[in-house]
Amino acid sequence: RGLRRSGGAASMALSLDREAYYRRIKRLYSNWQKGEDEYATIDAIVVSVGVDEETVYAKSTALQTWLFGYELTDTIMVFCEDKILFMASKKKVEFLKQIANSKSNESTNGVPAITLLVREKNESNKANFDKMIEALKGSKNGKRIGIFSKDKFPGEFMNSWNDCLSKEGFEKVDISAVVAYTIAVKEDGELNLMRKAAAITTEVFTKFLKERVMEIVDVDEKVRHSKLAESVEKAIEEKKYLSGADPSTVEMCYPPIIQSGGHYNLKFSVVSEKSYMHFGVITCAMGIRYKSYCSNLVRTLMVDPPQEMQENYSFLLQLQEEMLKELRHGVKLCEVYAAVMDMVKKQKPELLSKITKNLGFAMGIEFREGSLVINSKNQYRLKKGMVFSLNVGFSDLANKEGKKPEEKTYALFIGDTVLVEEDGPATLLTSVKKKVKNVSILLKKDDEDEEEEEKNEAVDMLGRSSRTALLTERTRNEMTAEEKRRAHQKELAAQLNEEARRRLTEQKGEQQIQKARKSNVSYKNPSLMPKEPHIREMKIYIDKKYETVIMPVFGIATPFHIATIKNISMSVEGDYTYLRINFYCPGSALGRNEGNIFPNPEATFVKEITYRASNIKTPGEQTVPALNLQNAFRIIKEVQKRYKTREAEEKEKEGIVKQDSLVINLNRSNPKLKDLYIRPNIAQKRMQGSLEAHVNGFRFTSVRGDKVDILYNNIKHAVFQPCDGEMIIVLHFHLKNAIMFGKKRHTDVQFYTEVGEITTDLGKHQHMHDRDDLYAEQMEREMRHKLKTAFKNFIEKVESLTKEELEFEVPFRDLGFNGAPYRSTCLLQPTSSALVNCTEWPPFVVTLDEVELIHFERVQFHLKNFDMVIVYKDYSKKVTMINAIPVASLDPIKEWLNSCDIKYTEGVQSLNWTKIMKTIVDDPEGFFEQGGWSFLEPEGEGSDAEAGESESEIEDETFNPSEEEYEEEEEDSDEDYSSEAEESDGSKESLGSEEESGKDWDELEEEARKADRESRYEEEEERSRTISRKRKVPSSQSTSHNRSSHSRSPARSSGPPKKKRK
């Protein structure tokens, strides 16, 4: 595309407007000679343009378009004090000859003469480069050159020229802002092009986009935002919308942005989402570029806007009016911004935080001029002839009348292309109507209106009574949420017992095999025994190779494998040293999980052996006899330690499923995240590393070079925990099968990076709004945003790489609740398929599909928190407890579980789950015959079953009594018995309330008092009956299952608590 006019077709005989070039180059030089801002410091200007199809707007190409009317690729322009050099290909040099001076290179109109240099395609161009370097050195002081630092073009030609410049060591100064300021004032010809661009924008918006949106709303069509944006781009190819312009000279400044449905981002760098258009507030932004000159327009269309929305919109129009008045020649940009902000502060201060960060920017050949933005800091002054895109909006406004989530927040945004005048307000170039009536789409039908009026009259007649009717209506509806849940839970209960029964009968065939303990034989045959002098001398000898201790027993050297030794001790008493060796034998505890697993437990076992040796040196001997015992003690300890470590490692490896090997993708463009920490740590100290996605899995490589591979097919849950409200941002993988690293097996691996400071320096006694602090906060906010974007991009790439097989889940923060699954309290958040907490360590992940039911314990009126027990479908798996959940979370949790079709039950006691699960596993049929899980239900026969159940579990293995339990015991036990009576009582009352809706307040209050008295009397009677019943029960059986939030207690006898002996 050697020569191109943006959007225009370059014909062969291209003409160059010589007058315009001289006018403009003269303006550039005169501004440089005035020496304002950066112009004062530079000795020459260098503008080099390469080939880059990606870049639409760049200062270098804008300058070329401004001077020549075209973009010239692979062209270098050097402006010196007294000469101008252009270096380009042969064709372009031919084109530029139209402006080179014919008259013996003398200066024309005070503008330096032009030298044209031809670029050779395949040669080094060194001679030409040297000419340009020489010219630069000869211009003024020849040290500082002005460049556009943002413009970096790829390609060999550019690289060799930049290297050449770098070698000479010129000082580079960015002059983007000052050149922009020079170009920003438009000549009449340019203004005509911009007026035309604005006119086309207006035409396309009113005749196509607005009509299309109204049509979509009218016929209730489902259209995606992105599809609508594409249709606008297609529309500009049709002449009927272009008010007579040639379609080849027209293009979009940016893909049109259409947003609705609660998600608004009021910037021009965003892309229309793929979601469907929502008929509420619809913001439309689009701009047409005509013959390289841009224009811009933003409008907000509102479907049935409520009154408050209309008021906010009218206020936005007033702000824009104010801004147009302020945009005058000579005013600073920051003053325009301040005037608008003052107006907001005075009239609607609550909107101050909602207004867009900047209020517009200068526009021309480039769509957005970064150095001329209307914000609080910009000191540049406005000049007549500048064109601005004014955009003002409010985002994140709350719609009180919105019922659906997408209606609850909305944004308002308006923008126009305006021209700055000498005095008086700026002129609008995009004349699209924007009053409330012009942008509102009203859907109300006529018959609806009549109904509305009738209703209003009825309300007036009824006066206050209608309000009470409304209230009763409302309470009835509110009741139904709980009732709906109950009904749904009943269905689930039936399903649950059916499924569980079926599952258990299927599993019956697969009984577990008990593991036999590995027998450790020291020597397979006698010939392997070492022939050491120690053995012949009947001394204790340790054979490290076979991990065996050879000891004399009744004069015979007898080998014992190190695994048979439980422990050893050495003591010195008087003249003798004693070495005592204890062995494992049936009846001695092997450790918690081992059980007594001996190959033949009926045999005779040696339990301990003691050796004695003298501490007194016998004459003629070099050493004390006891020395051998001391050595034996030391070496046995060493060998034992080594053996135990190895065993532990093997045990870790046991049951590890062999993973496929990772297929490395050698492509450099793999999705990759750098500077992450891994949890659990690979070594003692935490280490940074990078996570890279390959063909069939991830590889984490630490700085030290350790590698951890996680295959996609081994990931059960991939959770992305963003850093909102957290100190770290996490990618968490919960695996199907454990993997080994750092000598341990792990089913949870996560990669995280810290956001912001986890520690805060309290030594800073500075002012609250300290500038450093504010700056640090700002930086942290930016960092959070950056990290979130980086992680999201990584996730999107990985998901597309695995063709959506691996999907990352994001926890729903608003459904989260606090609880203590381990020692400390943390925020547990549901994802679409699990309940997780990834920020604390150890992590907590429960797959919802594996959950059989959830039981809430200690749900009582006077307790501030309750516990949650998760029972799994695999009954041999230990239940999971989450302690200390605040009572306020009970309802939301029920709501969430109900929506996930998970059965939940609640009760006042704490149950002994180890016993319950054992009972079920031992006799599943019996359990389901007695009604299965219905024993947890608080109603009807359920509670009898519960009482029976609790009596069967009198003893619990671990009993840590705590004070709270003693206090609660008395009242709880009463409550357990009296709850049934209260249940039935409540149901009678609720029946009554239906008939009594016609009574007045006094009657109702009187009845309530009466009911209170009766129930109090009944309670007391019940209590006395309970106490007498308790007395009759023998002390060993009187049980009350209760537990404080800290410890699991068994049912305890009514006497004082006794400590258990192990």
Side-chain angles (χ1 to χ4, degrees):
R1 69 160 201 193
L3 285 165
R4 75 153 208 185
R5 161 168 271 156
S6 307
S11 60
M12 277 321 288
L14 293 169
S15 64
L16 202 160
D17 185 341
R18 211 181 137 139
E19 305 309 316
Y21 166 79
Y22 277 108
R23 261 201 321 275
R24 291 172 189 180
I25 199 81
K26 198 171 176 185
R27 191 201 296 181
L28 183 70
Y29 267 78
S30 68
N31 279 9
W32 181 9
Q33 278 148 14
K34 275 186 207 155
E36 288 172 7
D37 301 317
E38 282 84 15
Y39 278 145
T41 61
I42 57 170
D43 303 319
I45 299 174
V46 176
V47 180
S48 41
V49 176
V51 181
D52 189 1
E53 292 295 341
E54 302 306 306
T55 316
V56 182
Y57 303 111
K59 197 56 88 263
S60 316
T61 50
L63 185 64
Q64 287 183 344
T65 308
W66 186 63
L67 292 173
F68 314 123
Y70 296 94
E71 282 179 28
L72 311 178
T73 52
D74 279 340
T75 302
I76 298 170
M77 309 192 284
V78 175
F79 303 96
C80 300
E81 191 182 12
D82 50 7
K83 59 170 110 168
I84 297 175
L85 294 91
F86 294 154
M87 177 175 175
S89 63
K90 209 167 182 179
K91 265 188 189 167
K92 295 186 192 112
V93 168
E94 283 300 317
F95 167 73
L96 289 169
K97 274 184 183 162
Q98 299 174 49
I99 52 166
N101 308 330
S102 44
K103 295 180 217 151
S104 63
N105 282 352
E106 69 190 56
S107 304
T108 322
N109 316 340
V111 174
I114 299 170
T115 311
L116 297 174
L117 305 170
V118 177
R119 172 172 84 88
E120 298 302 333
K121 278 250 165 73
N122 304 319
E123 287 170 32
S124 66
N125 294 305
K126 191 172 180 328
N128 284 340
F129 283 177
D130 288 347
K131 277 182 197 166
M132 292 195 282
I133 298 286
E134 195 176 295
L136 286 171
K137 286 184 174 167
S139 172
K140 296 193 181 177
N141 301 331
K143 285 186 184 135
R144 306 184 69 159
I145 56 171
I147 55 154
F148 302 132
S149 61
K150 268 196 185 156
D151 295 3
K152 291 188 171 54
F153 288 88
E156 216 171 295
F157 178 52
M158 285 295 113
N159 294 345
S160 52
W161 165 240
N162 288 334
D163 292 349
C164 205
L165 277 181
S166 307
K167 269 189 207 139
E168 296 299 326
F170 289 108
E171 210 176 316
K172 294 179 177 175
V173 180
D174 186 6
I175 52 164
S176 306
V178 284
V179 172
Y181 199 53
T182 303
I183 300 180
V185 177
K186 307 288 182 286
E187 299 173 0
D188 288 344
E190 292 175 281
L191 286 176
N192 288 336
L193 291 174
M194 294 197 80
R195 283 195 183 98
K196 182 79 175 163
I200 298 171
T201 304
T202 306
E203 204 79 347
V204 175
F205 179 82
T206 45
K207 289 190 179 165
F208 178 80
L209 182 55
K210 188 178 172 188
E211 288 298 322
R212 180 79 185 98
V213 171
M214 285 165 76
E215 178 187 312
I216 291 168
V217 175
D218 210 351
V219 300
D220 205 357
E221 198 177 331
K222 265 185 116 178
V223 178
R224 296 182 189 273
H225 295 117
S226 49
K227 280 276 174 285
L228 186 55
E230 279 168 34
S231 67
V232 178
E233 295 194 59
K234 288 205 179 77
I236 64 165
E237 292 161 18
E238 295 177 42
K239 272 202 166 161
K240 62 178 174 184
Y241 298 124
L242 303 184
S243 54
D246 176 1
S248 66
T249 57
V250 176
E251 58 181 337
M252 290 310 260
C253 294
Y254 55 90
I257 303 165
I258 294 147
Q259 306 183 80
S260 69
H263 298 286
Y264 303 94
N265 187 345
L266 308 186
K267 287 181 182 158
F268 296 100
S269 51
V270 294
V271 183
S272 299
E273 294 181 346
K274 287 187 177 158
S275 52
Y276 288 105
M277 192 166 93
H278 171 254
F279 304 158
V281 175
I282 304 157
T283 62
C284 310
M286 58 167 287
I288 295 284
R289 194 177 190 199
Y290 173 66
K291 292 192 178 171
S292 304
Y293 284 83
C294 300
S295 64
N296 194 21
L297 172 75
V298 185
R299 287 291 179 268
T300 301
L301 302 174
M302 301 177 284
V303 180
D304 286 339
Q307 191 54 40
E308 190 186 9
M309 193 186 282
Q310 293 183 30
E311 284 166 17
N312 284 339
Y313 183 83
S314 307
F315 180 61
L316 197 58
L317 292 180
Q318 285 172 15
L319 288 184
Q320 203 198 22
E321 281 302 318
E322 178 69 16
M323 213 146 84
L324 290 172
K325 281 180 202 153
E326 292 293 329
L327 284 176
R328 295 186 310 278
H329 180 81
V331 178
K332 284 186 182 175
L333 290 173
C334 57
E335 291 168 1
V336 177
Y337 183 86
V340 173
M341 291 304 150
D342 281 346
M343 188 170 168
V344 180
K345 274 178 202 158
K346 279 181 196 143
Q347 296 185 23
K348 291 204 173 201
E350 71 275 16
L351 294 176
L352 207 56
S353 60
K354 314 282 190 192
I355 198 161
T356 39
K357 292 281 179 292
N358 61 56
L359 304 176
F361 40 78
M363 207 163 46
I365 297 168
E366 282 184 88
F367 172 67
R368 181 180 190 273
E369 187 37 73
S371 56
L372 294 171
V373 175
I374 305 175
N375 59 21
S376 54
K377 301 193 185 83
N378 204 328
Q379 295 296 321
Y380 278 103
R381 291 185 182 278
L382 289 159
K383 288 190 174 176
K384 176 179 185 275
M386 285 186 173
V387 176
F388 273 77
S389 167
L390 289 192
N391 319 294
V392 57
F394 300 125
S395 50
D396 275 346
L397 295 170
N399 177 9
K400 292 172 185 149
E401 295 183 31
K403 291 179 182 64
K404 295 179 189 161
E406 56 263 35
E407 293 169 358
K408 285 185 177 159
T409 50
Y410 68 98
L412 299 171
F413 199 20
I414 50 173
D416 286 287
T417 307
V418 303
L419 166 64
V420 180
E421 302 287 1
E422 182 73 45
D423 45 18
T427 312
L428 277 178
L429 301 182
T430 41
S431 53
V432 177
K433 291 176 178 172
K434 52 177 180 270
K435 285 197 177 131
V436 176
K437 62 177 185 200
N438 304 121
V439 294
S440 299
I441 305 170
L442 300 172
L443 293 178
K444 284 212 170 133
K445 314 278 186 303
D446 297 346
D447 51 351
E448 261 184 16
D449 288 349
E450 284 165 25
E451 273 175 42
E452 283 282 320
E453 280 166 27
E454 281 171 22
K455 248 189 211 166
N456 290 347
E457 282 168 32
V459 168
D460 291 342
M461 278 159 59
L462 285 164
R464 185 162 165 252
S465 58
S466 67
R467 214 160 94 204
T468 49
L470 211 149
L471 281 173
T472 55
E473 190 63 28
R474 202 154 122 215
T475 45
R476 266 185 212 145
N477 288 351
E478 276 166 13
M479 282 299 293
T480 56
E482 174 63 22
E483 279 161 18
K484 269 186 207 159
R485 277 211 302 255
R486 281 216 181 120
H488 188 202
Q489 285 295 319
K490 248 191 189 127
E491 290 165 30
L492 288 175
Q495 273 176 11
L496 172 80
N497 279 339
E498 286 292 298
E499 272 176 33
R501 188 175 230 155
R502 200 186 63 240
R503 222 178 32 245
L504 282 174
T505 45
E506 279 169 18
Q507 275 177 9
K508 219 168 171 200
E510 316 159 8
Q511 286 301 320
Q512 281 190 324
I513 309 120
Q514 179 112 52
K515 283 189 302 193
R517 192 156 188 261
K518 194 168 74 191
S519 71
N520 292 298
V521 177
S522 298
Y523 304 112
K524 295 274 192 302
N525 56 18
S527 60
L528 293 173
M529 283 264 288
K531 312 279 184 283
E532 291 289 325
H534 265 68
I535 296 172
R536 284 200 299 280
E537 292 165 16
M538 289 297 152
K539 288 182 180 172
I540 296 176
Y541 174 75
I542 293 98
D543 181 358
K544 287 187 184 175
K545 184 181 170 193
Y546 287 101
E547 295 181 324
T548 296
V549 184
I550 299 170
M551 327 179 190
V553 179
F554 305 125
I556 299 165
T558 316
F560 288 89
H561 192 274
I562 197 80
T564 59
I565 295 176
K566 187 177 178 185
N567 52 30
I568 59 172
S569 61
M570 191 172 69
S571 58
V572 180
E573 290 174 21
D575 296 344
Y576 292 101
T577 296
Y578 293 86
L579 178 71
R580 174 175 168 177
I581 302 174
N582 291 328
F583 296 95
Y584 283 115
C585 60
S588 73
L590 272 174
R592 283 220 319 271
N593 319 335
E594 304 269 326
N596 299 335
I597 325 168
F598 284 89
N600 42 353
E602 299 304 310
T604 309
F605 285 78
V606 176
K607 193 175 180 197
E608 60 171 86
I609 299 182
T610 310
Y611 291 96
R612 178 182 93 158
S614 166
N615 290 339
I616 300 159
K617 207 195 289 188
T618 46
E621 286 291 324
Q622 287 177 346
T623 55
V624 182
L627 186 69
N628 183 39
L629 289 190
Q630 287 158 9
N631 285 342
F633 176 73
R634 184 172 47 82
I635 297 170
I636 290 174
K637 278 271 190 223
E638 268 172 37
V639 174
Q640 205 174 18
K641 188 176 170 190
R642 203 171 60 210
Y643 173 77
K644 277 185 180 155
T645 330
R646 202 181 65 240
E647 279 289 280
E649 272 178 34
E650 273 173 21
K651 196 171 166 208
E652 284 285 335
K653 281 185 190 148
E654 202 175 276
I656 286 274
V657 177
K658 177 112 176 52
Q659 300 286 327
D660 312 336
S661 44
L662 183 72
V663 181
I664 299 287
N665 183 4
L666 297 170
N667 194 344
R668 277 291 169 85
S669 64
N670 286 342
K672 189 173 188 178
L673 278 177
K674 292 184 181 145
D675 303 333
L676 299 179
Y677 293 109
I678 184 171
R679 270 203 297 208
N681 294 337
I682 301 177
Q684 248 48 47
K685 225 167 95 203
R686 67 175 192 164
M687 254 182 306
Q688 278 193 329
S690 58
L691 181 68
E692 199 166 351
H694 291 285
V695 181
N696 64 340
F698 295 104
R699 167 164 284 181
F700 174 79
T701 317
S702 75
V703 203
R704 204 175 64 175
D706 311 86
K707 291 183 172 60
V708 176
D709 294 346
I710 299 172
L711 300 187
Y712 301 140
N713 60 12
N714 189 30
I715 295 174
K716 194 177 200 175
H717 298 289
V719 180
F720 165 51
Q721 170 75 59
C723 49
D724 308 324
E726 300 289 356
M727 275 320 214
I728 55 178
I729 181 165
V730 181
L731 288 182
H732 184 95
F733 300 112
H734 181 66
L735 309 177
K736 295 175 188 164
N737 301 312
I739 57 169
M740 289 283 292
F741 63 86
K743 293 188 181 168
K744 288 203 173 73
R745 54 196 293 171
H746 304 288
T747 40
D748 284 288
V749 185
Q750 62 173 234
F751 304 96
Y752 69 98
T753 188
E754 285 169 4
V755 189
E757 298 175 44
I758 290 189
T759 53
T760 310
D761 182 5
L762 296 176
K764 286 200 278 193
H765 292 304
Q766 277 147 353
H767 186 49
M768 162 76 180
H769 296 294
D770 181 22
R771 188 170 295 170
D772 295 351
D773 284 6
L774 289 175
Y775 178 67
E777 275 177 31
Q778 179 64 23
M779 289 297 286
E780 187 177 317
R781 269 199 296 276
E782 281 169 19
M783 165 125 155
R784 277 173 186 268
H785 183 69
K786 237 192 232 154
L787 280 171
K788 220 153 66 181
T789 322
F791 272 69
K792 273 189 180 148
N793 288 344
F794 176 76
I795 286 169
E796 279 164 18
K797 282 180 192 160
V798 170
E799 285 180 346
S800 63
L801 177 77
T802 58
K803 303 192 176 56
E804 306 288 331
E805 272 174 35
L806 177 69
E807 274 194 41
F808 281 85
E809 305 171 42
V810 180
F812 304 117
R813 200 176 174 82
D814 31 359
L815 292 179
F817 56 92
N818 287 311
Y822 305 111
R823 289 197 185 88
S824 59
T825 301
C826 55
L827 181 68
L828 301 163
Q829 305 174 64
T831 70
S832 47
S833 66
L835 176 66
V836 300
N837 166 49
C838 308
T839 45
E840 306 280 324
W841 198 261
F844 176 83
V845 182
V846 169
T847 311
L848 299 181
D849 289 347
E850 293 174 4
V851 174
E852 177 82 310
L853 88 156
I854 302 242
H855 181 64
F856 303 121
E857 296 187 338
R858 299 190 311 112
V859 180
Q860 265 170 302
F861 188 57
H862 60 90
L863 293 180
K864 282 187 186 159
N865 45 33
F866 63 95
D867 306 330
M868 178 165 150
V869 180
I870 301 171
V871 181
Y872 295 98
K873 288 180 178 163
D874 175 2
Y875 290 165
S876 56
K877 200 168 164 185
K878 200 166 167 252
V879 300
T880 302
M881 290 280 315
I882 302 173
N883 298 330
I885 304 171
V887 162
S889 308
L890 184 59
D891 254 15
I893 293 176
K894 284 182 179 174
E895 195 53 54
W896 162 62
L897 289 173
N898 199 43
S899 67
C900 297
D901 290 344
I902 294 176
K903 170 76 186 133
Y904 62 80
T905 53
E906 60 178 274
V908 279
Q909 306 133 305
S910 296
L911 304 174
N912 179 344
W913 284 96
T914 338
K915 280 250 166 76
I916 295 179
M917 296 317 285
K918 192 172 180 302
T919 317
I920 298 173
V921 173
D922 291 350
D923 179 17
E925 272 136 24
F927 170 68
F928 286 112
E929 270 160 26
Q930 285 168 11
W933 288 108
S934 60
F935 81 89
L936 292 170
E937 297 284 356
E939 292 137 19
E941 331 86 60
S943 45
D944 297 347
E946 197 168 336
E949 187 75 39
S950 50
E951 261 160 47
S952 70
E953 316 140 11
I954 290 168
E955 294 254 310
D956 188 343
E957 279 64 46
T958 56
F959 172 29
N960 327 336
S962 78
E963 291 85 353
E964 290 175 33
E965 287 173 278
Y966 306 148
E967 294 165 19
E968 284 170 18
E969 183 181 0
E970 276 311 307
E971 26 185 312
D972 281 7
S973 48
D974 294 349
E975 204 134 350
D976 296 347
Y977 285 111
S978 61
S979 62
E980 265 172 79
E982 278 171 85
E983 280 282 327
S984 56
D985 214 287
S987 57
K988 277 180 215 152
E989 264 179 57
S990 62
L991 283 172
S993 65
E994 286 292 309
E995 305 148 16
E996 290 157 7
S997 52
K999 298 181 180 175
D1000 68 0
W1001 284 114
D1002 302 338
E1003 284 173 59
L1004 289 170
E1005 275 178 357
E1006 189 50 50
E1007 271 179 31
R1009 275 198 211 99
K1010 206 163 157 188
D1012 283 352
R1013 274 202 301 276
E1014 278 171 24
S1015 66
R1016 201 173 298 135
Y1017 166 69
E1018 274 175 27
E1019 266 178 36
E1020 279 169 15
E1021 200 174 8
E1022 192 67 43
R1023 195 169 290 142
S1024 61
R1025 216 180 311 151
T1026 309
I1027 291 166
S1028 64
R1029 201 184 316 172
K1030 267 193 185 169
R1031 285 194 189 122
K1032 286 174 201 163
V1033 176
S1035 64
S1036 65
Q1037 283 180 356
S1038 117
T1039 67
S1040 143
H1041 262 275
N1042 173 34
R1043 164 169 91 64
S1044 84
S1045 59
H1046 306 298
S1047 57
R1048 311 292 311 271
S1049 82
R1052 57 178 92 71
S1053 64
S1054 55
K1058 299 186 180 71
K1059 281 215 177 120
K1060 276 199 181 169
R1061 286 228 300 275
K1062 280 274 186 284

